[in-house]
């Protein structure tokens, strides 16, 4: 793929070579983009930094969105190195295990707030910091899931959180559109990532998706990466405020 030659982008959410964000970063790099890449903490760094090196990423930094100052530091590094930004990919989500595995009815206040802060509000904060660096327009992308729109067994607390994220996408699109900044969510089908391993009976969910999806096959991180490249490119210049599914058609069934 090509079409992003000279583009500068930030990718947040790579944990290892199985991450959705890694599939996207690899595709964006292959399309010609130069990337800034982050890892969560020192424990994650040995898994992520070698991947960033294969992308020749000139900006490689830690980013824990719950730690004061780290997000600002990443955008300051982008400003100092490039002076601008063309796209941001936000691919992070978290909910405490007890809250994720329990009923939404029983979710704790602290667990709900933490899940919302990391999974949703961090994207809003990134949009605010990206805005002044996108004076020629740009593309903001985040990852959602079908559980935002309908009840998915065992998805629990992340359903309301992802619904808030998709709503935030629409409001950000409306507010940033006059500046030429597009905002979209990508909703992949079930993928065997480290994050997905926290969902109870995930293997059953994955099997059902493959059996029922119209295309009768699973999706992979490269499928998501190709859509990410499209949304970051001029080919998607008139698409904003949407949730785009890449799930072999599974979302049309219910």
């Amino acid at each position: 793929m090509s079409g992003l030659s000279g583009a500068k982008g930030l990718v947040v959410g790579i944990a290892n070579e199985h991450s959705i964000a890694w599939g996207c970063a690899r595709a964006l790099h292959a399309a010609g983009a130069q990337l800034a890449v982050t890892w969560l903490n020192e424990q994650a760094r040995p898994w992520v930094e070698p991947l960033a090196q294969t992308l020749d990423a000139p900006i490689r930094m830690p980013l824990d969105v719950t730690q004061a100052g780290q997000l600002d530091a990443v955008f300051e590094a982008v400003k100092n190195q490039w002076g601008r930004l063309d796209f941001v990919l936000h691919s992070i989500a978290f909910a405490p295990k007890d809250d994720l595995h329990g009923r939404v009815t029983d979710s704790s206040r602290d667990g709900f707030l933490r899940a919302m802060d990391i999974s949703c509000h961090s994207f809003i904060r990134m949009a605010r910091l990206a805005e002044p660096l996108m004076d020629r327009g740009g593309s903001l992308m985040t990852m959602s899931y079908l559980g935002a729109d309908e009840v998915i067994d065992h998805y629990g607390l992340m359903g309301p959180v992802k619904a808030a994220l998709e709503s935030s996408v629409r409001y950000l699109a409306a507010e940033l559109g006059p500046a030429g900044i597009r905002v979209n969510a990508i909703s992949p089908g079930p993928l065997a990532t480290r994050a997905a391993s926290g969902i109870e009976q995930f293997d059953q969910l994955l099997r059902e998706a493959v059996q029922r999806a119209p295309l009768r096959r699973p999706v992979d991180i490269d499928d998501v990466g190709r859509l990410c490249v499209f949304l970051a490119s001029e080919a998607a210049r008139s698409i904003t405020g949407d949730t785009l599914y890449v799930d072999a058609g599974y979302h049309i069934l219910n």
Side-chain angles (χ1 to χ4, degrees):
M1 290 182 291
S2 61
L4 294 178
S5 179
K8 316 290 188 185
L10 170 64
V11 175
V12 177
I14 301 175
N16 55 40
E17 71 274 15
H18 304 296
S19 299
I20 292 173
W22 170 240
C24 295
R26 191 167 54 193
L28 290 161
H29 174 70
Q34 195 170 26
L35 302 178
V37 171
T38 68
W39 49 79
L40 177 61
N41 50 35
E42 283 304 304
Q43 288 71 41
R45 183 173 182 172
W47 299 98
V48 181
E49 191 166 29
L51 299 177
Q53 290 172 346
T54 69
L55 301 173
D56 298 318
I59 301 172
R60 311 168 193 169
M61 297 179 65
L63 176 58
D64 180 342
V65 296
T66 68
Q67 299 300 308
Q70 287 197 9
L71 188 57
D72 295 271
V74 168
F75 277 86
E76 188 65 22
V78 169
K79 179 181 178 181
N80 293 337
Q81 178 99 4
W82 292 332
R84 65 182 179 88
L85 197 57
D86 297 297
F87 61 85
V88 172
L89 173 66
H90 170 278
S91 184
I92 57 175
F94 175 81
K97 185 176 180 180
D98 288 345
D99 294 288
L100 181 62
H101 290 177
R103 301 191 307 168
V104 173
T105 307
D106 300 322
S107 61
S108 69
R109 179 177 183 272
D110 288 344
F112 183 87
L113 292 176
R114 191 174 181 202
M116 191 69 76
D117 178 55
I118 295 172
S119 310
C120 179
H121 195 257
S122 64
F123 182 58
I124 296 173
R125 299 199 301 274
M126 287 182 197
R128 182 173 65 247
L129 292 167
E131 183 180 12
L133 297 175
M134 292 183 167
D135 57 341
R136 297 183 294 182
S139 176
L140 302 174
M141 298 167 282
T142 188
M143 292 294 159
S144 189
Y145 180 60
L146 182 61
D149 295 317
E150 58 187 63
V151 176
I152 301 293
D153 287 343
H154 309 294
Y155 199 56
L157 182 60
M158 287 309 299
V161 171
K162 290 294 190 181
L165 179 64
E166 290 189 8
S167 180
S168 297
V169 162
R170 292 188 287 273
Y171 277 86
L172 291 171
E175 293 171 358
L176 299 177
I181 299 172
R182 297 175 287 108
V183 190
N184 291 288
I186 297 171
S187 185
L191 287 160
T193 64
R194 190 172 74 177
S197 67
I199 300 173
E200 288 187 308
Q201 299 185 33
F202 176 78
D203 289 343
Q204 178 182 333
L205 179 67
L206 182 58
R207 285 194 300 271
E208 180 183 342
V210 173
Q211 291 167 358
R212 297 189 63 213
L215 293 180
R216 297 294 193 274
R217 61 171 176 81
V219 298
D220 58 34
I221 60 174
D222 295 320
D223 293 322
V224 185
R226 284 184 280 269
L227 179 55
C228 189
V229 169
F230 168 70
L231 288 175
S233 75
E234 278 296 300
R237 63 190 296 269
S238 295
I239 298 174
T240 194
D242 285 329
T243 297
L244 292 90
Y245 293 91
V246 52
D247 63 356
Y250 183 77
H251 71 280
I252 70 173
L253 299 177
N254 298 321

